[in-house]
Amino acid sequence: ELKGETTVVVLGASGDLAKKKTFPALFGLFEQGHLPDDLHIIGYARTKMSDDEFHERQVGHIKPPSDDASEETKSAHKKALDKFKSVSSYIAGPYDKDEGFQALTEELEKLEKERGGKPNRVFYMALPPSVFTVVAEGLKKNCYAKEGINRIIIEKPFGKDTDSCAEMMTALKSQWTEEETFRIDHYLGKEMVKNVLLLRFGNVWLESSSNKNFISNVQITFKEPFGTEGRGGYFDEFGIIRDVCQNHLLQTLSVLTMERPVSFSAEDIRDEKVKVLRCISPIAREDTLLGQYVGAEGKPGYLEDDTVPKGSVCPTFAALALHINNPRWEGVPFIMKAGKALNEAKVEIRVQYKDVTPGIFEDVARNELVIRIQPSEAIYMKFNTKTPGLITRAIPTELDLTYKQRFSEAKIPEAYEALILDAFKGDHSNFVRDDELDVAWKIFTPILHWIDGKQGEAPKPESYPYGSRGPEGIDAFTSKYGFKRSNEG
Ligand code: BG6
């Protein structure tokens, strides 16, 4: 664990990721007293700004206490904000020249001298992928603390396919060891994703029924009610599969399906994740359904965004079926569904069990275990009970663990808070290991190359209206893999 004498350098400090995620998360941890007392934060980016201008940006996305919070809470928040700003400073410099990093080192050394003790440096790369490698090299060459602990935190996109990812990893690994590297997939920091291992391996009934004998199919669904407005140019280079399926949804799938780890250590957990991922065949073309949204009810279509290339066939929606070739999961389809500009905001895992053997009850709905990742964290089991009263008829109902009700006082941490704290503690459990990344890409690379038009003509996605449930074929697609929609909530 990093205790005292720590400086966090946020590279790309003037960008969106830093503003929206990194700084609010750092502040959340700082306010709750989770960070070392004599922490210092340095923002680094190309844009020239004064410390004051930087502070304005830095705290711009930090949520103030609600209006009805007590005066005490409000003043404590203000005090924490002022303190947070007072330990944060800014340096402007280039990403590709030593001189910028040398100025950064001078600042680091100055702060470290004032503080005394060993220097610990955490470099958080909130940067576009085009400069990842050059910055990682520049930092290693110029800013690496010889005596203290050095850590580097990076985040997707890690390349665009198996080869480009390998190239990037090789370049990074020539400078930074696996031990020093923390690859974020922020879904692994989400409370309900972190809960999956506990649910599975801490409940005998759940673990013993998590297999092909009981489960018909599993869906992992990601729905957002907004389109790519404003970031269409970036999105078009990647598409929905690279944006959320290959990383966030696959990570969720791997914790849901891995075998019990030997221990709860980072390496044991990640060994099991890699093992199950290696059992997944590359996704087949016939197991995909692609969509792209068109304008509806005053909302613009994907192609109407000026930053999107004309005639782009980039998918903004994908439904994919994955198959795990191991004895536990053989024959159980895992359906990933992800889309922008849909009818609601929802991310959930839905495990649908098999039918009850027929003969004694009519029309009993299938059991379903739903883990709602967001919004409003919940776990509920759809199950059947006798209709209360003098008749014996089954009625579908729910065993419901909605967090807001059951744990109303609990503060659910933001994903980035959980992960940054783990990185401070040196715990890699919820970070992506290099071999995990490689197998993850192998599952997706063939269909991505097909979609990119590298193997002949690119497939044309089906249109769906902004604000709808997705392309028309979606229900037929999920029922093809055994999902019965009758009892979907
Ligand atoms: C990001 C994607 O990785 O995850 C975005 O690039 C997406 O397109 C986001 O909106 C979703 O994260 P969250 O935490 O809002 O579900």
Side-chain angles (χ1 to χ4, degrees):
E1 193 164 344
L2 296 182
K3 288 219 178 72
E5 301 126 28
T6 299
T7 310
V8 182
V9 181
V10 179
L11 296 119
S14 61
D16 246 25
L17 175 66
K19 207 165 57 184
K20 291 189 180 149
K21 303 287 185 188
T22 319
F23 290 128
L26 280 169
F27 175 72
L29 291 170
F30 183 80
E31 191 182 25
Q32 294 161 57
H34 291 301
L35 295 183
D37 288 348
D38 48 6
L39 175 88
H40 196 97
I41 297 170
I42 302 180
Y44 183 97
R46 281 179 298 208
T47 318
K48 286 214 164 62
M49 295 188 259
S50 66
D51 276 356
D52 283 348
E53 282 168 321
F54 169 60
H55 292 149
E56 282 302 298
R57 287 203 198 196
Q58 193 191 21
V59 304
H61 273 74
I62 293 173
K63 274 196 213 106
S66 61
D67 284 346
D68 53 6
S70 67
E71 283 312 313
E72 207 180 320
T73 309
K74 287 180 186 163
S75 100
H77 177 82
K78 174 148 190 328
K79 234 165 115 186
L81 263 187
D82 290 342
K83 175 118 196 280
F84 186 64
K85 289 188 211 167
S86 75
V87 300
S88 303
S89 54
Y90 181 79
I91 298 183
Y95 292 137
D96 54 355
K97 291 196 188 70
D98 287 340
E99 70 208 38
F101 297 120
Q102 280 157 6
L104 177 58
T105 303
E106 276 165 31
E107 179 69 12
L108 281 162
E109 283 169 355
K110 196 184 93 199
L111 289 165
E112 286 159 1
K113 206 160 154 210
E114 282 167 16
R115 258 190 333 225
K118 276 191 190 152
N120 295 323
R121 299 175 183 174
V122 177
F123 300 99
Y124 191 111
M125 314 251 277
L127 291 166
S130 52
V131 293
F132 275 176
T133 317
V134 62
V135 172
E137 279 169 13
L139 289 173
K140 179 67 195 284
K141 183 170 167 205
N142 300 289
C143 307
Y144 192 85
K146 292 189 185 56
E147 275 178 60
I149 294 173
N150 296 273
R151 289 189 180 139
I152 187 160
I153 305 179
I154 50 173
E155 189 163 355
K156 81 167 171 73
F158 300 121
K160 291 178 104 177
D161 59 9
T162 312
D163 290 348
S164 52
C165 174
E167 200 179 306
M168 182 179 163
M169 288 309 121
T170 310
L172 289 175
K173 279 160 76 172
S174 69
Q175 312 289 328
W176 296 85
T177 65
E178 191 63 24
E179 192 58 32
E180 290 168 337
T181 308
F182 292 77
R183 296 181 200 89
I184 287 195
D185 182 310
H186 80 284
Y187 267 59
L188 289 176
K190 290 194 188 261
E191 184 72 11
M192 297 312 273
V193 176
K194 288 174 75 177
N195 197 0
V196 170
L197 289 191
L198 206 131
L199 286 174
R200 286 190 56 206
F201 301 115
N203 292 295
V204 167
W205 64 270
L206 189 53
E207 177 47 11
S208 47
S209 59
S210 289
N211 59 57
K212 65 181 177 196
N213 300 326
F214 295 89
I215 293 174
S216 160
N217 62 84
V218 177
Q219 288 190 64
I220 301 178
T221 305
F222 169 100
K223 296 170 87 176
E224 277 183 346
F226 43 84
T228 59
E229 298 97 318
R231 65 196 275 265
Y234 162 85
F235 186 88
D236 200 81
E237 245 194 83
F238 294 90
I240 192 75
I241 298 179
R242 288 187 180 94
D243 194 40
V244 300
C245 301
Q246 184 270 349
N247 30 63
H248 306 331
L249 303 191
L250 191 71
Q251 284 294 333
T252 307
L253 185 147
S254 72
V255 288
L256 187 70
T257 56
M258 65 185 250
E259 294 300 316
R260 183 186 144 113
V262 176
S263 78
F264 221 61
S265 77
E267 295 323 315
D268 284 341
I269 291 173
R270 296 185 302 172
D271 282 349
E272 292 304 335
K273 286 171 71 191
V274 170
K275 229 198 264 173
V276 75
L277 291 176
R278 288 179 60 203
C279 294
I280 302 178
S281 349
I283 299 165
R285 291 182 190 187
E286 55 276 19
D287 285 335
T288 64
L289 169 70
L290 305 174
Q292 189 185 77
Y293 65 90
V294 293
E297 291 177 20
K299 298 284 194 176
Y302 180 67
L303 294 179
E304 287 162 55
D305 183 334
D306 287 343
T307 57
V308 169
K310 285 208 169 20
S312 163
V313 288
C314 171
T316 60
F317 175 97
L320 312 166
L322 286 79
H323 307 280
I324 305 178
N325 303 314
N326 70 13
R328 184 193 283 271
W329 296 115
E330 184 194 0
V332 180
F334 286 81
I335 306 160
M336 277 183 187
K337 286 187 309 191
K340 299 263 173 194
L342 295 177
N343 59 334
E344 59 182 338
K346 188 162 79 180
V347 181
E348 66 168 32
I349 301 170
R350 185 173 293 262
V351 179
Q352 189 172 68
Y353 290 81
K354 292 192 166 174
D355 286 322
V356 165
T357 306
I360 56 170
F361 303 116
E362 277 166 42
D363 293 337
V364 281
R366 285 179 166 182
N367 288 137
E368 280 181 3
L369 172 69
V370 181
I371 301 174
R372 190 161 63 224
I373 297 170
Q374 63 195 39
S376 181
E377 293 81 357
I379 300 160
Y380 56 94
M381 176 60 124
K382 297 210 163 203
F383 86 137
N384 299 298
T385 188
K386 185 178 108 43
T387 307
L390 294 173
I391 46 168
T392 300
R393 191 186 302 143
I395 180 169
T397 175
E398 283 167 11
L399 287 175
D400 183 357
L401 170 57
T402 295
Y403 269 43
K404 267 197 202 117
Q405 285 155 14
R406 181 65 182 81
F407 302 120
S408 54
E409 299 297 309
K411 180 189 175 312
I412 310 257
E414 291 294 326
Y416 282 88
E417 289 178 359
L419 293 175
I420 292 175
L421 188 61
D422 280 352
F424 267 84
K425 290 182 178 159
D427 180 354
H428 277 89
S429 308
N430 291 311
F431 293 86
V432 185
R433 205 166 65 186
D434 54 349
D435 52 347
E436 220 180 322
L437 207 51
D438 181 60
V439 264
W441 275 118
K442 284 187 175 135
I443 297 169
F444 286 87
T445 294
I447 50 158
L448 287 168
H449 283 176
W450 168 57
I451 293 167
D452 291 345
K454 287 191 176 154
Q455 295 166 350
E457 205 183 329
K460 201 168 175 301
E462 276 183 42
S463 310
Y464 62 94
Y466 198 122
S468 68
R469 291 180 55 241
E472 232 173 57
I474 185 59
D475 291 337
F477 184 86
T478 52
S479 59
K480 187 166 101 182
Y481 298 99
F483 178 66
K484 285 197 184 168
R485 197 175 139 71
S486 59
N487 54 1
E488 190 177 25

